Amino acid sequence: MSLLTTQNLSVMYGKIRALEGINLTVEPGQIVALVGANGAGKTTLLKTLSGLLTPVSGTIHFEGKEITTASADTRVRSGIAQVPEGRGLFGILSVEDNLLLGAYTRNDHEIHNDLESVYTRFPILHDKRHDYAGTLSGGQQQMVAVGRALMSRPRLLLLDEPSMGLAPIIVEEIFATIRELNNAGTTIFLVEQNARLALKNSHYTYVLENGTIVKEGKSKDLLNDPAIIEAYLGG
Ligand SMILES: Nc1ncnc2c1ncn2[C@@H]1O[C@H](COP(=O)(O)OP(=O)(O)OP(=O)(O)O)[C@@H](O)[C@H]1O
Ligand SMILES: [Mg+2]
């Protein structure tokens, strides 16, 4: 069974159609990328998957269950977590409080252990756990954003432009983390404007233009596709 599917999903902002007829399949265990230019609708699609936007038509299924109109909370509880564009941290809360916010839907006794796991994955966050999140570097803030999402124990992690605004060496570190999380069993849906980075770090890719999917395929095939090279990989 696919982990996530959408059928014919359309989303509007008032009278403006932002997404039209989106059909996606995310297989468990994969990294699936969504690439597209500024304003193509990538963030709109992620927000629709995480429940922050409701589609005007179409359906979304997660692990076989329809979640099209489920609240964002319900989706977090059922195993979907989003790392938003721009990270969405609370700058005047501590690193640790930001991480704990990711566990807001839980009341079990494992939360502390999961916090320790985040600190094991990102030791710098342990060192800085009492600092305001707003004082961290961009890369460290991205670690907090990813760590916060992990605190809900997601089976599907939605990442919106994790490379944005980061130096190349930091981007490499973030992508190494994404690959590690995937190897440990988390399925990843990755939005990226940097198409080369997305194609090199994913199994399957969808290309979004003006709110519709214009191409999809195995990432390694799209890397050699002349039309993709011309339009997205700088010739
Ligand atoms: N709240 C909103 N109200 C009205 N229109 C919106 C709203 N948010 C986004 N849009 C429009 O919807 C379209 C898709 O925007 P979206 O943010 O999903 O694109 P994106 O692919 O994520 O772009 P970027 O690469 O810049 O993040 C754009 O034309 C945008 O102007
Ligand atoms: Mg966006």
Side-chain angles (χ1 to χ4, degrees):
M1 186 178 43
S2 301
L3 187 65
L4 180 96
T5 57
T6 73
Q7 296 87 24
N8 212 19
L9 207 58
S10 295
V11 176
M12 302 191 66
Y13 291 112
K15 289 185 178 157
I16 300 165
R17 190 168 288 273
L19 294 175
E20 167 94 62
I22 302 290
N23 294 303
L24 289 177
T25 303
V26 177
E27 298 298 345
Q30 294 214 320
I31 300 179
V32 175
L34 176 71
V35 303
N38 260 325
K42 303 180 300 297
T43 296
T44 301
L45 181 50
L46 269 202
K47 286 183 173 173
T48 308
L49 299 180
S50 63
L52 300 174
L53 290 171
T54 308
V56 290
S57 60
T59 56
I60 309 171
H61 287 80
F62 181 66
E63 295 179 331
K65 281 196 222 108
E66 181 164 1
I67 58 160
T68 314
T69 58
S71 69
D73 275 31
T74 305
R75 293 186 210 199
V76 172
R77 273 193 204 92
S78 59
I80 301 177
Q82 182 176 5
V83 179
E85 188 173 72
R87 299 157 201 140
L89 300 183
F90 294 91
I92 57 158
L93 292 185
S94 70
V95 166
E96 186 150 299
D97 284 344
N98 272 277
L99 292 172
L100 287 170
L101 279 173
Y104 78 103
T105 57
R106 299 173 51 183
N107 56 8
D108 55 86
H109 299 292
E110 300 287 314
I111 293 173
H112 191 75
N113 288 346
D114 288 358
L115 186 62
E116 291 305 318
S117 305
V118 170
Y119 288 146
T120 304
R121 180 173 297 284
F122 304 115
I124 187 75
L125 299 188
H126 185 261
D127 299 345
K128 297 194 177 249
R129 65 192 182 282
H130 300 306
D131 293 6
Y132 290 133
T135 64
L136 270 56
S137 71
Q140 292 163 357
Q141 290 192 20
Q142 191 61 264
M143 291 175 200
V144 178
V146 171
R148 180 181 56 185
L150 294 178
M151 289 299 293
S152 68
R153 294 194 168 181
R155 291 186 294 288
L156 177 64
L157 186 60
L158 309 172
L159 296 167
D160 197 347
E161 308 226 22
S163 74
M164 190 164 49
L166 302 179
I169 186 159
I170 309 297
V171 171
E172 237 343 286
E173 280 177 38
I174 292 288
F175 272 80
T177 301
I178 293 169
R179 291 190 298 269
E180 277 168 33
L181 292 170
N182 179 246
N183 287 334
T186 308
T187 306
I188 313 260
F189 188 71
L190 169 72
V191 163
E192 256 301 332
Q193 225 180 96
N194 183 334
R196 190 181 304 278
L197 192 62
L199 288 165
K200 285 196 165 159
N201 285 284
S202 61
H203 301 97
Y204 199 86
T205 296
Y206 291 90
V207 180
L208 191 66
E209 281 179 13
N210 296 320
T212 60
I213 289 167
V214 294
K215 191 151 218 161
E216 64 177 276
K218 285 187 182 157
S219 304
K220 65 176 184 329
D221 294 340
L222 294 193
L223 266 174
N224 297 311
D225 182 315
I228 296 290
I229 292 170
E230 165 86 29
Y232 290 99
L233 303 175

